[in-house]
Amino acid sequence: MRKLIFLTCFVLPYLSTIAQTGYSIKGTIKGLPAQSYTLAHYFGYSQYIVKDTAAADTGGSLVFTGNKPLPQGIYLLLSPAKRRIAEFVIGPEQHFSFSSDTVNVVANMKIEGSPDNELYYQYQQKIAGYNTEIGLLMAQMKMRQDLLMQTKINNLRRQVYEYYRTFAQENANSLTGKIMKAGADVELPAAPKRPDGKVDSAWLFHYYKAHFWDNVDFSDDRLVRTPALQRKLDRYLQEITFQDPDSLIHSSDFVIEKALKAGNKEMQSYCIWYLTNKAENPSIIGGEQVFVHLAEKYYLGGLMPVTDSGTVKNIRQKVNTLKPLLVGKPMPALSLTDTSGTLRSLADIKANYTVVVFYDPDCSHCRQSTPALKEFYEKNKKTLGVQIFAASVARAPEQWKKYIREFGLQEWIHGYDYSFRIDFRKEFDVVNTPMVYVLDQDKKIIARRIQSEQLDGFMDFYQQKLAYEKSLKIK
C-alpha cells in the first residue's frame, strides 16, 4: 500500500464564529460503564477530530464543558474503544442536556435545550421505525415469495425518501435541515423526448450532473464537520464522473471552483485537500495526471488557503517526480548492466510492448507476483511481441543473479546498477516494489503502477481500444 506523502499533516483551522460563550453538554445514558468518553466531530465521514473527554459516573452520567464554543457540525460520543455510542448536532445552541439508555440509544434519546438535536433525533427515530417495518417484511418475504410483500416494501421505501425530502425542506433554516438537504438529490424535471418518442435519458443525466451540487451551501464550513460533504464528493467522482483523467480533472475543478466562489476558506481547504488526497493514490490507469494537475494548480499555484512550507516542498518534489512519468509521456532513459556485464539500454529494445519491472529480490510481493509476470510473458511474447526489462533496485548482485536462476527468467532482459548512480525512487517513482510500467513500441508509457496479475486484462483492453480507434479513422 502506498503511503500518503504530505496529506497526513493537514489540519484545518476553525473559522466558524459563534456568538454563544463556551459549551456545556450534560447527559445520562443508563447502562454506560464508568469510563472516560470522547466527544469528537466528523471530518468528512471517514475521520474524526477529538475536542473533549469526560468520565462517566456509575449511573452513566457525564458532562462536557469548555470556555470556548465548539466548531459546529455533527459530533460523536465515543467509547474508549472508539465505538460510536451517540451522535449530536452541535449548532449555535451549545448548552443542552440529553438522556437515554444503552438498550436503544436512538429510540430512547430525549433532548432538552437544543432544537437542532430534537429535530435530529425526531428524524432518526422516525427512520428507525420505517427500517424496523421494512426489516420485518423482508424477513417474512424470505420465508415465502409474495409480490404483495415486495410492493409494501417498495411503498415504505418511497415513504422514507419522501419523509427525508420533506423534513429537509421544512427545516432548511436549522443546521440539521441544512445537513440533510446537502445529502439530498435534486428534483429532476420531466425530460424531453428524442425524435423516436423515447425519453431522452442522456439529457436527464446531464441535467442531474449539472445540478448535483444545488443543495450544498459551499459558504457553510459546518458541512466539513459532517459525513454529508465527503459522501457527496465520493459519489460525484465515482458514480457521476466518467473514470478517465480528463473527466476527473474537470469534475474536481468544478467542485473546487464552487468552493472558491463561495469564499469560505475552510470549505475551500477541505475540497482541495480531499480531492488531491483522493487523486494521490488513483484507482485508474493514468490517474496520476489528476494529482499532478490539482497539486500544481491549487497547492503550487497558491490557491490552497491553508498549507505550510514543508507541505508545499513535498508536493513540489512529488510533482517533479511524477510529471515525466505520466501515461502518454516517453519513458525516461534507462541503461543497466546485465549478468554478462553488457550495458543494456531500454531504448535499444525492439518490441511491440515492453514491460519494465523494478523489483527487489528480497521483496515478498515481488516474489509472489513474479510467476504471474512470467506467465504473462510466455503467453504474449510471440502473439503481442512483448519483452520484459527487469531492473533490480537492491544493492545485492549475488541475490539478483540467484533470483533470475530461481524463477527461470533467463529470457528476460535484466539490468543492475553497479555504479549505484540511479535514484530509482526519484527518477522512476519506485516507492514500493514491484513497480511496473507498460510501454508501446515507441517506448511511450501506456500504463504504470499496474499489478502483474492485471497485465492480461489491461492488454486485452488496450488492444480493443486500438481497434476501436482504428475503426473510427477508417470511417
Side-chain angles (χ1 to χ4, degrees):
M1 182 179 291
R2 290 167 57 90
K3 295 181 179 178
L4 297 184
I5 289 179
F6 65 91
L7 296 171
T8 54
C9 63
F10 176 75
V11 179
L12 291 173
Y14 296 110
L15 305 177
S16 300
T17 56
I18 309 172
Q20 190 177 28
T21 302
Y23 64 93
S24 175
I25 302 168
K26 303 176 182 180
T28 299
I29 298 180
K30 293 179 181 179
L32 202 64
Q35 297 173 329
S36 180
Y37 294 86
T38 297
L39 186 67
H41 67 67
Y42 279 101
F43 184 63
Y45 71 77
S46 55
Q47 302 180 59
Y48 58 83
I49 295 176
V50 174
K51 301 306 293 183
D52 201 357
T53 58
D57 63 21
T58 55
S61 295
L62 68 172
V63 180
F64 295 98
T65 60
N67 295 325
K68 294 182 179 180
L70 294 166
Q72 297 181 32
I74 295 183
Y75 280 68
L76 305 95
L77 178 62
L78 299 169
S79 73
K82 307 307 178 188
R83 183 176 63 85
R84 185 188 326 183
I85 297 168
E87 287 186 347
F88 300 102
V89 177
I90 306 296
E93 175 51 66
Q94 300 196 5
H95 291 251
F96 65 90
S97 62
F98 65 89
S99 64
S100 187
D101 60 55
T102 55
V103 175
N104 192 324
V105 173
V106 171
N108 297 316
M109 180 65 74
K110 293 180 175 58
I111 303 287
E112 290 186 9
S114 173
D116 261 315
N117 278 293
E118 290 176 18
L119 283 172
Y120 189 68
Y121 275 97
Q122 173 188 326
Y123 173 80
Q124 296 289 342
Q125 289 162 359
K126 182 75 170 179
I127 292 298
Y130 277 124
N131 288 338
T132 299
E133 196 171 350
I134 289 171
L136 289 171
L137 288 172
M138 291 182 71
Q140 293 176 30
M141 195 169 69
K142 284 183 180 179
M143 297 173 63
R144 64 180 192 279
Q145 293 297 322
D146 189 336
L147 291 177
L148 181 59
M149 205 79 72
Q150 184 62 62
T151 300
K152 289 180 179 179
I153 292 171
N154 292 339
N155 286 336
L156 282 170
R157 285 174 174 161
R158 279 192 289 270
Q159 289 177 44
V160 169
Y161 173 75
E162 184 59 30
Y163 177 69
Y164 176 90
R165 188 181 66 81
T166 303
F167 186 94
Q169 288 177 347
E170 291 178 349
N171 299 286
N173 294 328
S174 68
L175 176 55
T176 297
K178 179 169 280 194
I179 293 167
M180 299 189 68
K181 181 182 178 183
D185 274 336
V186 295
E187 294 293 316
L188 294 175
K193 292 186 177 180
R194 301 184 319 208
D196 61 5
K198 294 182 179 179
V199 172
D200 190 341
S201 56
W203 182 92
L204 269 178
F205 173 78
H206 290 301
Y207 178 93
Y208 181 70
K209 185 175 182 181
H211 294 271
F212 186 82
W213 295 101
D214 285 4
N215 290 331
V216 176
D217 183 357
F218 281 91
S219 69
D220 193 338
D221 60 77
R222 296 179 298 182
L223 294 177
V224 170
R225 295 180 287 279
T226 75
L229 180 61
Q230 185 182 331
R231 285 179 177 146
K232 199 94 171 177
L233 285 167
D234 285 347
R235 186 165 179 228
Y236 187 67
L237 289 179
Q238 296 167 13
E239 299 178 25
I240 312 300
T241 300
F242 187 68
Q243 296 300 291
D244 69 40
D246 289 341
S247 298
L248 289 167
I249 286 172
H250 180 270
S251 288
S252 297
D253 281 343
F254 183 77
V255 173
I256 292 171
E257 287 302 317
K258 279 187 167 293
L260 291 172
K261 287 179 181 178
N264 185 290
K265 291 189 180 296
E266 191 168 352
M267 182 68 85
Q268 295 167 20
S269 296
Y270 182 81
C271 290
I272 294 171
W273 167 78
Y274 185 72
L275 293 171
T276 309
N277 184 14
K278 291 283 287 185
E280 190 181 12
N281 291 298
S283 58
I284 63 167
I285 299 294
E288 294 85 357
Q289 182 181 338
V290 184
F291 171 82
V292 169
H293 169 84
L294 296 177
E296 284 193 313
K297 184 172 181 178
Y298 300 107
Y299 280 89
L300 304 185
L303 293 175
M304 176 64 171
V306 182
T307 189
D308 60 83
S309 59
T311 296
V312 172
K313 180 182 178 181
N314 288 336
I315 294 171
R316 183 172 284 109
Q317 289 175 348
K318 186 169 179 64
V319 168
N320 289 340
T321 296
L322 285 177
K323 207 166 182 181
L325 300 169
L326 296 176
V327 168
K329 298 285 186 71
M331 184 75 168
L334 177 62
S335 296
L336 297 167
T337 304
D338 69 13
T339 54
S340 68
T342 303
L343 191 65
R344 305 299 296 267
S345 172
L346 180 60
D348 294 336
I349 296 175
K350 306 299 181 184
N352 292 333
Y353 300 99
T354 304
V355 176
V356 182
V357 54
F358 298 92
Y359 72 99
D360 182 336
D362 281 339
C363 160
S364 60
H365 191 192
C366 297
R367 299 182 70 85
Q368 291 170 4
S369 65
T370 295
L373 187 56
K374 183 180 179 181
E375 183 180 350
F376 168 80
Y377 170 73
E378 296 294 339
K379 176 182 177 182
N380 296 289
K381 61 183 179 181
K382 292 182 179 179
T383 55
L384 292 180
V386 170
Q387 183 54 274
I388 292 182
F389 189 20
S392 173
V393 301
R395 297 186 176 186
E398 293 308 315
Q399 289 179 330
W400 165 56
K401 293 176 183 178
K402 179 183 177 183
Y403 189 84
I404 296 170
R405 293 192 301 269
E406 179 183 347
F407 286 96
L409 308 176
Q410 288 81 358
E411 284 192 35
W412 297 4
I413 298 172
H414 294 276
Y416 187 85
D417 178 27
Y418 279 100
S419 66
F420 306 134
R421 58 183 167 71
I422 300 175
D423 185 338
F424 290 102
R425 183 187 184 105
K426 183 177 179 181
E427 295 182 37
F428 296 98
D429 192 35
V430 185
V431 178
N432 298 103
T433 54
M435 176 63 169
V436 177
Y437 288 81
V438 183
L439 316 180
D440 67 9
Q441 62 182 357
D442 300 318
K443 303 302 181 292
K444 184 177 70 175
I445 300 169
I446 59 175
R448 67 185 300 277
R449 283 186 64 198
I450 188 169
Q451 301 295 319
S452 299
E453 296 80 3
Q454 298 173 327
L455 283 168
D456 258 327
F458 169 73
M459 291 307 299
D460 287 343
F461 162 78
Y462 189 74
Q463 293 297 308
Q464 292 173 13
K465 177 175 176 286
L466 291 179
Y468 176 71
E469 290 173 351
K470 185 178 180 179
S471 70
L472 292 179
K473 290 179 181 179
I474 294 174
K475 292 179 181 179

